[in-house]
Amino acid sequence: MRTQVAIIGAGPAGLLLGQLLHRAGIDAVILEQRSREYVLGRIRAGVLEPGTVEVLDYAGVSKRLHSDGLTHDGIEIGFEGRRHRIDFKDLIGSSVTVYGQTEITRDLMEARAAGGAVSLYEVHDVAVHDIASHSPKVSFVRNGVADTIECDFIAGCDGFHGVSRPSIPAGALTLHERTYPFGWLGVLADVPPSWPELIYANSDRGFALASMRSPTRVRCYVQCPLQDRIEEWSDGRFWDEFRRRIGGDVAERMITGPSIEKGIAPLRSFVAEPMQFGNLFLAGDAAHIVPPTGAKGLNLAASDVWYLYQGLREFYRERSRAGLDRYSQRCLGRVWKAARFSWWMTTQLHRFPGTDAFHDKIQAAELDYLFSSRAAQCSLAENYVGLPLDPRS
Ligand code: APR
Ligand code: PHB
């Protein structure tokens, strides 16, 4: 089999790249180790920056996003029993869209199927070869039969645990990592949210986030010890803890219901640089992970893919490698700013075990400054709503 771009991974990064290339007349094959149903069953965040919406518009997959997505003009931050609103619209004249990543994945899968582009699901033993050459290859096994795809470029969109990043020779990559001493326990439930906007709460019992997927579905999280097991968290215990952390009128008013999904996820900051080696390009979680507190994971995947798409389109239209050669550099400027913001949100809003009163006082001072300074609020708003994809493009 031969294609122009072999894409490994059918998460949002791989599917979005496939869709952009398809519309530009560039041939691509997507290889995914899981089934379609498994990919659609994964629950991830759902806050879209306007820049991400623009890329989805350009890709022609935003019809449902515009009809069903919720526009949010701000967020609330809870601290010491009070809630403070960060009004994006007033501060920077912009908003975010709340629309689940699962729905974006579904929209992209449907567009790919409608366009007749090739996606191979449930492939195993995916391996990349000759990535430093002009004719890289991807080998895999499907239905017990070994096969190989020859291509011009490989896009490693296979997430944090994929094969692409580890295939780059040791010594060519620098890895930066921070882990955090807690996880997020998340619950999805079919009840209407009693909060109009997302609430990020730093309570003395730990962090909680009140989010939503639609007017009838909530997504809520509490910070929990990493060693907690999901069986220890009945729905009753979760809602009780969530109520205590969110507090106030929201806790009194809120409606709870049985969880339709419940899981614990660790928090990590991770960046691999550069994001390319020869003709292998990493995009999305394959290259970087941010803790979910800033809601940046999907948005970074979208901007990587946008830059990669531009580089590939330039190569096929103009036979110029200029865009591809500066792919990593273009991505990393944005990636590190989102890594900084996500680390900052995580640091300010969680309770860190084993810290002293000095740490707590500095955290309280930082939040007090945020609530009292328009400049500090503008900075949060600008980063949360998303820095420009590329001021030079
Ligand atoms: N072979 C083929 N496919 C693979 C392999 C492999 N060896 N390893 C992983 N994959 C697939 C996974 O099954 C998954 O479907 O690659 C896909 C990667 O998708 P994501 O993990 O969703 O990563 P990405 O597309 O970069 O999306 C980034 O989604 O994961 C969230 O928090 C993340 O919001 C961010 C966004
Ligand atoms: C979510 O709705 O799952 C969500 C929203 C905002 C975040 C993280 C997760 O920062």
Side-chain angles (χ1 to χ4, degrees), residues 8-15 31-34 38-39 42 44-45 101 123 125-126 157-164 283-286 289-290 296-299 301:
I8 309 178
L15 287 167
L31 297 167
E32 165 61 49
Q33 66 180 1
R34 305 287 190 171
Y38 182 96
V39 171
R42 286 192 298 234
R44 262 69 183 275
Q101 182 170 313
V123 299
D125 301 333
V126 173
C157 302
D158 47 352
F160 184 65
H161 300 286
V163 291
S164 300
D285 279 14
I289 298 280
V290 284
K296 290 289 162 227
L298 174 63
N299 294 293

Side-chain angles (χ1 to χ4, degrees), residues 359-375:
H359 173 275
D360 297 348
K361 290 282 181 191
I362 293 288
Q363 192 187 57
E366 179 92 29
L367 289 172
D368 195 32
Y369 171 59
L370 172 67
F371 302 143
S372 59
S373 158
R374 189 173 169 92

Side-chain angles (χ1 to χ4, degrees), residues 170-364:
L173 282 187
T174 304
L175 310 180
H176 306 272
E177 186 163 21
R178 275 273 185 289
T179 53
Y180 300 86
F182 39 73
W184 274 21
L185 166 65
V187 158
L188 193 68
D190 274 331
V191 287
S194 61
W195 43 92
E197 292 172 342
L198 273 58
I199 306 170
Y200 292 80
N202 175 341
S203 89
D204 51 14
R205 299 180 66 86
F207 171 80
L209 168 61
S211 181
M212 67 191 75
R213 286 288 177 279
S214 73
T216 57
R217 181 170 283 189
V218 296
R219 178 71 170 160
C220 301
Y221 300 90
V222 294
Q223 165 188 355
C224 69
L226 270 175
Q227 53 280 7
D228 274 16
R229 285 175 303 119
I230 201 70
E231 307 82 60
E232 295 165 20
W233 283 92
S234 64
D235 287 359
R237 180 176 170 208
F238 176 84
W239 289 123
D240 185 46
E241 188 60 38
F242 178 81
R243 264 206 176 94
R244 294 167 85 163
R245 295 187 190 189
I246 284 290
D249 55 323
V250 169
E252 279 162 28
R253 272 200 322 263
M254 68 178 281
I255 305 162
T256 62
S259 62
I260 50 175
E261 199 268 347
K262 196 193 285 169
I264 297 179
L267 272 67
R268 170 186 280 127
S269 297
F270 173 87
V271 181
E273 51 185 18
M275 290 170 54
Q276 63 195 94
F277 181 83
N279 284 316
L280 169 65
F281 296 84
L282 305 176
D285 279 14
H288 41 71
I289 298 280
V290 284
T293 328
K296 290 289 162 227
L298 174 63
N299 294 293
L300 279 185
S303 54
D304 290 352
V305 163
W306 178 243
Y307 300 147
L308 184 53
Y309 160 70
Q310 288 188 322
L312 290 167
R313 192 181 55 176
E314 189 181 316
F315 177 84
Y316 286 111
R317 282 198 185 156
E318 301 162 29
R319 290 282 145 190
S320 159
R321 270 196 75 107
L324 287 174
D325 288 343
R326 68 186 187 100
Y327 167 72
S328 180
Q329 196 195 334
R330 268 186 106 186
C331 291
L332 284 168
R334 208 168 180 279
V335 166
W336 274 114
K337 288 185 195 86
R340 182 208 69 84
F341 176 66
S342 306
W343 162 85
W344 180 83
M345 287 281 280
T346 306
T347 307
Q348 302 321 323
L349 295 174
H350 290 75
R351 294 295 163 125
F352 285 69
T355 50
D356 58 8
F358 181 83
H359 173 275
D360 297 348
K361 290 282 181 191
I362 293 288
Q363 192 187 57

Side-chain angles (χ1 to χ4, degrees), residues 129-137 151-152 277-280 321:
H129 310 273
D130 306 330
I131 52 176
S133 81
H134 289 295
S135 50
K137 293 163 200 68
C151 55
D152 302 326
F277 181 83
N279 284 316
L280 169 65
R321 270 196 75 107

